[in-house]
């Protein structure tokens, strides 16, 4: 398998955790989102992934974009250790939290959006920071309410699931932008715990060869 | 089942198509996103869905948010007629296109984001329109490249899949904002075809009792 990654991409980070957690090897390919005007825009990468976003996974004749579709594939290719609960209703709840992060928080604060805010819209750095923090706060407030009654060490009891694979990169991103995490004690507890697990340590942005 | 919907919500529209396509009955509950300062913010709805977004599905003791998690549930609850191909690799491709729309296009142009642009950021209507069209164009360009070689009447051959359930509401939304669809002949062909299918007709925003 080839995996196209960028160290600070939250979406790539999710998949890196899954690969490490399942002990699956992948030939890492690095796509620098800032160098050369963004290497994701080069024609070689664009032909793999017309969306010009990371990550992309290539396995034989399967070329797959979208981190959550890639997580789905890894779950099929190597079911154990599982990252979704066996209980169907609980697995649906995990999927919903995963999507709360991947659809309602992350897309508003990724690099291309921030570049549009300060580029074409000419917003100030201060306005950009308010934008970032606003959507993080909206999303984290909802997640804190949703998870406070069911979280253990992880979002869903003590089992590492896709929800944790999405939450930890999102909190990493929030900390970069100085978000105060004290209103979200459940999320913060899960973050602290996951940071002690080998798969999360190995997948962390600063551990990647392309980190700067 | 109870289904909480708003006529113009693209996310609710996806699920309405699935319900109609599978012939599943649901007790429709309407959440008006503009009335009363947004009925999604009222405490009764917020207790069902802390994210204060539509849709939400309630079935017995399962309360589920996120349209794609709800689609997953409907596929389990009533597998036929299927909305995902039986071929695993093809199903993964459908999932990726579904996420291309649900993660990379739709979240940037939904109501709460547009309200933030013209509210706190005080952008003009013209700037808002540019924002909307920019992200639609980015997303549709990638989808046109991705689908032009495999689409038939639908995104994936002639089978109605989740990709169509996401694409048609997204194009409906694009047309509201005056997007020129001529650069996307494949997407436009799929849109025209799906608009002739009973499930898509029944689920259309203007057909809903809460339409204005």
């Amino acid at each position: 398998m080839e995996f196209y990654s960028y160290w600070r991409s939250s979406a790539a980070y999710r998949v890196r955790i899954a690969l490490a957690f399942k002990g699956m090897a992948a030939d890492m390919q690095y796509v620098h989102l800032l160098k050369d005007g963004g290497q994701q825009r080069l024609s070689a990468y664009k032909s793999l992934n017309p969306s010009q976003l990371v990550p992309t996974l290539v396995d034989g004749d399967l070329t797959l974009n979208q981190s959550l579709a890639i997580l789905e594939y890894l779950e099929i290719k190597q079911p154990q250790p599982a990252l979704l609960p066996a209980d169907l209703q609980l697995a649906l709840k995990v999927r919903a939290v995963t999507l709360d992060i991947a659809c309602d928080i992350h897309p508003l604060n990724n690099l291309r959006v921030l570049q549009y805010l300060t580029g074409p819209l000419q917003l100030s750095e201060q306005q950009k920071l308010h934008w970032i923090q606003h959507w993080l706060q909206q999303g984290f407030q909802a997640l804190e309410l949703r998870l406070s009654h069911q979280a253990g060490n992880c979002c869903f009891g003590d089992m590492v699931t896709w929800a944790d694979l999405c939450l930890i990169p999102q909190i990493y991103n929030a900390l970069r932008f100085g978000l105060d995490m004290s209103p979200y004690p459940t999320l913060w507890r899960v973050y602290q715990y996951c940071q002690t697990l080998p798969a999360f340590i190995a997948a962390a942005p600063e551990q990647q060869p392309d980190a700067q």
Side-chain angles (χ1 to χ4, degrees), chain A:
Chain A
M1 292 194 295
E2 285 186 342
F3 183 65
Y4 292 76
S5 177
Y6 175 63
W7 64 295
R8 262 189 175 161
S9 156
S10 302
Y13 187 177
R14 296 168 193 158
V15 177
R16 291 198 305 261
I17 302 170
L19 289 168
F21 192 79
K22 289 175 176 284
M24 298 173 83
D27 177 12
M28 300 296 284
Q29 305 285 332
Y30 301 106
V31 182
H32 201 296
L33 300 188
L34 295 168
K35 264 189 207 156
D36 311 325
Q39 293 176 346
Q40 73 280 15
R41 299 196 180 94
L42 299 178
S43 61
Y45 187 72
K46 199 180 158 186
S47 70
L48 272 183
N49 185 346
S51 303
Q52 303 171 58
L53 294 166
V54 289
T56 305
L57 183 87
V58 180
D59 190 6
D61 58 356
L62 176 67
T63 300
L64 198 60
N65 69 314
Q66 287 294 344
S67 60
L68 303 190
I70 297 170
L71 292 184
E72 198 87 41
Y73 177 59
L74 299 183
E75 217 53 31
I76 294 167
K77 187 175 167 87
Q78 188 171 308
Q80 298 300 328
L83 284 164
L84 281 179
D87 178 86
L88 276 181
Q89 286 212 2
L90 202 55
L92 289 165
K93 291 282 197 179
V94 170
R95 285 178 183 276
V97 167
T98 298
L99 293 161
D100 284 338
I101 298 168
C103 296
D104 295 337
I105 304 178
H106 175 251
L108 293 162
N109 289 344
N110 72 3
L111 182 63
R112 62 180 192 153
V113 172
L114 302 185
Q115 285 173 336
Y116 192 88
L117 294 178
T118 53
L121 289 180
Q122 301 194 289
L123 298 188
S124 66
E125 283 298 314
Q126 189 63 21
Q127 285 175 306
K128 182 181 93 171
L129 196 64
H130 279 159
W131 166 278
I132 292 169
Q133 298 204 344
H134 174 75
W135 299 116
L136 286 167
Q137 285 161 351
Q138 292 278 312
F140 284 177
Q141 277 164 20
L143 283 179
E144 181 68 26
L145 282 169
R146 231 182 254 294
L147 296 176
S148 58
H149 297 298
Q150 65 192 9
N153 285 319
C154 303
C155 290
F156 288 81
D158 291 333
M159 178 185 182
V160 173
T161 67
W162 288 359
D164 306 295
L165 270 54
C166 288
L167 179 65
I168 275 51
Q170 193 61 66
I171 294 179
Y172 166 86
N173 186 280
L175 295 175
R176 274 182 66 204
F177 293 107
L179 189 78
D180 173 16
M181 288 296 296
S182 65
Y184 322 111
T186 307
L187 308 188
W188 187 243
R189 189 183 74 226
V190 169
Y191 180 76
Q192 299 278 54
Y193 173 74
C194 287
Q195 293 294 61
T196 68
L197 302 177
F200 288 78
I201 294 170
E206 279 70 21
Q207 298 302 313
Q208 306 314 302
D210 63 329
Q212 286 173 324

